[in-house]
Amino acid sequence: MITSVLQLSARPGSEQAVDDLYAERGVLDRSRAFPGCRGAVLLRTVEGTLAAGSATHVVIAQWDDEAAYAAWVADPWRNEVGAALAPLLDGDAVPPAGAVLRPAC
């Protein structure tokens, strides 16, 4: 099993819009139903605790293996949602994939 961690930095004032996009598009439900996904959650930084340059949102998901996560990253629907998300984020584009982690011990 692996864990993916995707950090997103919303443009100032767009934090709620990121939450809304995830809810309206059913991103977490769709990812949880994707083959190989064991679970997913969208976390948002508590207001007043954000360090400069830090992510406002973190998506954490568990996957059977790297191949399952790679298939999700390559999914055309995910890329379509990423394009809708991009204007809400700082930077030029949505990261194509999150960090992939496996248990250390």
Side-chain angles (χ1 to χ4, degrees), residues 10-20 44-45 50 56-57 88:
R11 292 184 189 278
S14 295
E15 296 86 357
Q16 186 61 49
V18 172
D19 296 350
D20 294 346
R44 182 170 163 189
T45 303
L50 184 64
T56 58
H57 295 77
L88 303 175

Side-chain angles (χ1 to χ4, degrees), residues 35-103:
C37 184
R38 297 181 178 199
V41 63
L42 172 66
L43 304 171
R44 182 170 163 189
T45 303
V46 174
E47 191 172 330
T49 65
L50 184 64
S54 296
T56 58
H57 295 77
V58 178
V59 183
I60 300 173
Q62 290 77 40
W63 300 89
D64 288 343
D65 52 33
E66 293 93 340
Y69 182 57
W72 169 248
V73 170
D75 184 72
W77 182 88
R78 181 190 180 274
N79 292 317
E80 188 178 300
V81 170
L85 185 62
L88 303 175
L89 301 178
D90 274 341
D92 295 332
V94 176
V100 176
L101 309 164
R102 52 173 79 249

